Amino acid sequence: MERVTLGKTGITVNKNGFGALPIQRISTEDAVKLARKAYDAGITFFDTARFYTDSEEKLGEAFEGMREKVYIATKTAAANADEFWEQLGISLHNLRTDYIDIYQFHNPSFCPKPGDGTGLYEAMLEAKAQGKIRHIGITNHRLAVADEAIESGLYETLQFPFCYLATEKDIELVEKCKQAGMGFIAMKALSGGLINNSAAQYENVLPIWGVQRERELDEFISYIEHPPVMTEEIAAVIEHDRKELSGEFCRGCGYCMPCPAGIEINNCARMSLMLRRAPSEAQLTPEMQAKMKKIEGCLHCNKCKSKCPYGLDTPALLAKNYEDYKRVLAGEVSVK
């Protein structure tokens, strides 16, 4: 069984974490079943957030009475100390616990520090002193903020998008965390479901897999006894995917939303990839065609572009995907 230690936290777990964002889309009964099945298979790290609707509540029900047997990380998007304490109280209530193993600032646009005027980091320290949280973490999609968090020495874990399409700068973050004794938690390990191979080849990285269906969980459970290994075949797949997906590649994170023109950007901006890497029928329904047609009403206000943590030219990406989509509808281009 392959295990990973999250830096100086000392938290050592199976190298497969459970990402609980998707369970907000299923019933409580099904979510509890998935979480407990994951635990029974040896997965003990569960990641959620205050604003994943009822995800925390579902994990709370799943692990009531056995809290000490799992590690739970959650997140706060608080903008000030008052909001911090309010959200922490709600999370503790939802999770049916009196402590959180890793409490993370949820993708802030800056790196919270003592004396920055928000009171956020001071609140984190007080919560830790009270025993309500055990470790302080931060999640982000911005390289600059992630770098600053590492260099600050204030954080015990960093959660950042990371998969085998990682750039050299992304890989540098992993190495910097290792040198600093920080745990590295990989979100978007499958890049929003578009990447089919889920090999994790970095020894200090804990990937968290977003789980919504039992068959998805079964795949990740299979990694426990049979961890993915690098083969010539997998290396070829990685090289192909790097060429296809690197650069102007929308990860579907949704930080560009909402759109004033009502465009579902996080799906429409990656439609070409979804047509070719997921069952295409689901992308060609009348409902999806209507969503794509909204691209015609793009205001070119560039609000989405300014909010993209990856620096993508989102309006151009939308237009490109729409043209490709129309060619598929017209039968000019075939997809699987």
Side-chain angles (χ1 to χ4, degrees), residues 151-195:
E151 293 168 5
S152 73
L154 297 170
Y155 293 90
E156 297 168 89
T157 62
L158 169 68
Q159 186 173 151
F160 194 81
F162 192 77
C163 66
Y164 66 68
L165 297 176
T167 65
E168 289 184 7
K169 290 183 178 180
D170 297 333
I171 295 171
E172 284 177 14
L173 282 184
V174 172
E175 184 57 34
K176 287 178 182 178
C177 279
K178 186 175 182 179
Q179 293 174 0
M182 283 178 65
F184 190 102
I185 303 166
M187 68 167 109
K188 303 288 181 185
L190 295 179
S191 291
L194 293 175
I195 297 172

Side-chain angles (χ1 to χ4, degrees), residues 45 64 86 98 100 172 193 207 216 255 314 327 333 335-336:
F45 188 89
E64 187 173 26
E86 179 184 7
D98 57 4
I100 292 163
E172 284 177 14
E216 296 167 345
Y255 286 104
T314 317
R327 287 195 295 270
V333 179
V335 293
K336 65 179 182 178

Side-chain angles (χ1 to χ4, degrees), residues 17-75:
F18 187 108
L21 182 152
I23 66 171
Q24 65 184 314
R25 307 181 190 121
I26 60 178
S27 69
T28 297
E29 181 181 1
D30 288 342
V32 169
K33 178 183 176 182
L34 282 180
R36 288 179 179 167
K37 180 173 181 175
Y39 169 79
D40 289 339
I43 295 174
T44 55
F45 188 89
F46 296 81
D47 179 84
T48 183
R50 171 74 284 277
F51 289 111
Y52 293 169
T53 60
D54 61 359
S55 174
E56 288 183 333
E57 296 172 74
K58 288 168 177 172
L59 288 186
E61 181 164 336
F63 298 121
E64 187 173 26
M66 50 180 290
R67 173 66 182 88
E68 72 286 353
K69 296 182 179 180
V70 296
Y71 295 99
I72 296 177
T74 192
K75 313 177 189 79

Side-chain angles (χ1 to χ4, degrees), residues 167-242:
T167 65
E168 289 184 7
K169 290 183 178 180
D170 297 333
I171 295 171
E172 284 177 14
L173 282 184
V174 172
E175 184 57 34
K176 287 178 182 178
C177 279
K178 186 175 182 179
Q179 293 174 0
M182 283 178 65
F184 190 102
I185 303 166
M187 68 167 109
K188 303 288 181 185
L190 295 179
S191 291
L194 293 175
I195 297 172
N196 300 321
N197 186 282
S198 45
Q201 62 197 89
Y202 299 89
E203 63 177 12
N204 64 313
V205 172
L206 172 62
I208 50 173
W209 313 115
V211 179
Q212 181 176 337
R213 301 175 179 86
E214 191 166 8
R215 67 175 182 272
E216 296 167 345
L217 179 60
D218 289 339
E219 179 187 350
F220 302 135
I221 288 174
S222 74
Y223 298 165
I224 295 175
E225 294 301 328
H226 305 286
V229 295
M230 186 59 65
T231 63
E232 290 185 8
E233 181 182 2
I234 290 177
V237 171
I238 290 174
E239 182 61 24
H240 174 271
D241 285 349
R242 279 183 180 277

Side-chain angles (χ1 to χ4, degrees), residues 21 25 141 188 190-194 249-257 264-270 273-274 308-310 312 317:
L21 182 152
R25 307 181 190 121
H141 289 256
K188 303 288 181 185
L190 295 179
S191 291
L194 293 175
F249 166 42
C250 174
R251 280 77 168 176
C253 68
Y255 286 104
C256 56
M257 299 287 283
E264 198 175 272
I265 302 171
N266 53 327
N267 284 320
C268 295
R270 60 190 191 132
L273 295 173
M274 293 200 297
C308 178
Y310 301 98
L312 299 178
L317 195 57

